[in-house]
Amino acid sequence: YERTCRYFARKSNSVVVSVGYRLAPKHPYPTQFEDCLTATIHFMRTAQDYGVDPSRIIICGDSSGGTLTAAVAQALVNRRDLPKLRAQILIYPFLQCVDFNLPSYQQNEGVPILLKERTLALGLKYLNKDLSVMEAIFKGCHIPEDLQLKYQKWVSPDYIPHEFKTRGYKPSTTHPFSEELYTLLKPMFDPIFSPLLAEDSVIARLPEAFILTCEYDVLRDDGLLYKKRLEDHGIKVTWCHLQEGFHGTV
């Protein structure tokens, strides 16, 4: 990522700090989030040492880095001891583990590099869980009915604009819930792992956002759903959709 970061710094005439957070599985989840949060707070407190205006700090990440960016922005909303973040940039972020059958997952399940199966496999490895549960998660057996109802307000194909369904979409059938699976996978529903599941009170206080989505990306609809949630709470969103884009396009 060094070349990308140098490019951003040069083109935007800004100071770019790249966080070398520790990696899973050697360092278990949520070490990655904690490292990013620690680094962000440290930089916010010492910004002037780097010639940076503390009121103009933007956090940014792509893919799982987009997950971390969204989670850090959420973690900072109630901090009175720090400057407010100026903005967050989410580049094709992973944001939820509730529905792996959204239109973008169905349409792009076999599109390299982020195949549908690979997305979940990476998520499970990140949480240090066995991959044998993948099939049951794809069927939605990991979500109890009460949470299903709660999350439906935020994660639903109904909120994906029609033009994103034209390449094909079949509503998924419901399968019986497994208590055992839910107990095993509880961490997946934490907003640190699935920022789209944060409460309204948190979403309403987030900074302005730039969201990039790609047409040929299983994570496209995560970005679209987060955009809708932010806009529903009056948060300004600049949205860029790459019609020919795919995951990893940066």
Side-chain angles (χ1 to χ4, degrees):
Y1 275 78
E2 186 173 335
R3 281 181 64 183
T4 309
C5 291
R6 285 176 178 274
Y7 178 85
F8 282 160
R10 197 168 64 243
K11 288 287 183 183
S12 61
N13 190 28
S14 53
V15 173
V16 173
V17 179
S18 177
V19 182
Y21 58 84
R22 290 168 292 172
L23 301 179
K26 188 181 173 191
H27 299 281
Y29 164 89
T31 306
Q32 298 67 28
F33 162 74
E34 287 161 357
D35 284 357
C36 289
L37 183 61
T38 303
T40 305
I41 291 170
H42 173 73
F43 186 74
M44 290 176 114
R45 286 188 174 141
T46 57
Q48 278 152 329
D49 300 353
Y50 300 92
V52 170
D53 176 347
S55 69
R56 299 182 66 187
I57 295 170
I58 297 170
I59 55 174
C60 168
D62 77 315
S63 195
S64 57
T67 319
L68 292 165
T69 301
V72 168
Q74 290 179 4
L76 293 172
V77 296
N78 292 319
R79 295 291 293 251
R80 302 241 183 283
D81 57 327
L82 296 167
K84 286 259 170 277
L85 278 176
R86 175 64 188 85
Q88 52 180 328
I89 296 175
L90 310 175
I91 300 170
Y92 37 72
F94 171 92
L95 297 170
Q96 59 85 29
C97 65
V98 170
D99 191 345
F100 289 97
N101 290 298
L102 290 167
S104 62
Y105 270 107
Q106 291 189 17
Q107 294 160 7
N108 305 308
E109 63 179 344
V111 177
I113 53 175
L114 196 64
L115 313 175
K116 174 173 165 172
E117 290 210 340
R118 180 175 287 169
T119 310
L120 183 52
L122 290 171
L124 289 167
K125 282 186 171 165
Y126 181 34
L127 295 173
N128 204 15
K129 304 295 180 192
D130 196 87
L131 301 190
S132 61
V133 298
M134 281 174 61
E135 200 48 53
I137 297 173
F138 284 143
K139 288 177 177 168
C141 304
H142 59 309
I143 312 165
E145 208 168 318
D146 56 330
L147 287 185
Q148 196 73 276
L149 287 169
K150 178 182 178 177
Y151 296 151
Q152 242 161 20
K153 302 182 304 223
W154 308 328
V155 185
S156 165
D158 298 348
Y159 300 135
I160 303 298
H162 177 71
E163 65 264 30
F164 293 105
K165 294 177 182 169
T166 53
R167 286 201 294 122
Y169 170 65
K170 258 205 340 256
S172 47
T173 48
T174 48
H175 291 270
F177 163 64
S178 158
E179 183 73 53
E180 189 188 352
L181 197 59
Y182 171 63
T183 307
L184 176 75
L185 299 173
K186 256 188 187 154
M188 284 184 118
F189 301 103
D190 189 311
I192 291 172
F193 188 89
S194 296
L196 190 51
L197 306 182
E199 296 297 334
D200 285 339
S201 56
V202 173
I203 299 286
R205 302 183 62 187
L206 285 170
E208 181 180 341
F210 173 94
I211 299 176
L212 180 112
T213 53
C214 292
E215 180 58 33
Y216 298 99
D217 180 8
V218 288
L219 301 182
R220 179 195 71 202
D221 294 351
D222 282 25
L224 294 177
L225 291 169
Y226 205 54
K227 170 182 180 285
K228 180 185 187 304
R229 276 205 79 189
L230 292 170
E231 288 176 339
D232 285 351
H233 286 278
I235 311 290
K236 187 180 171 204
V237 177
T238 304
W239 172 51
C240 172
H241 182 65
L242 301 182
Q243 199 51 58
E244 300 293 312
F246 52 89
H247 197 85
T249 212
V250 160

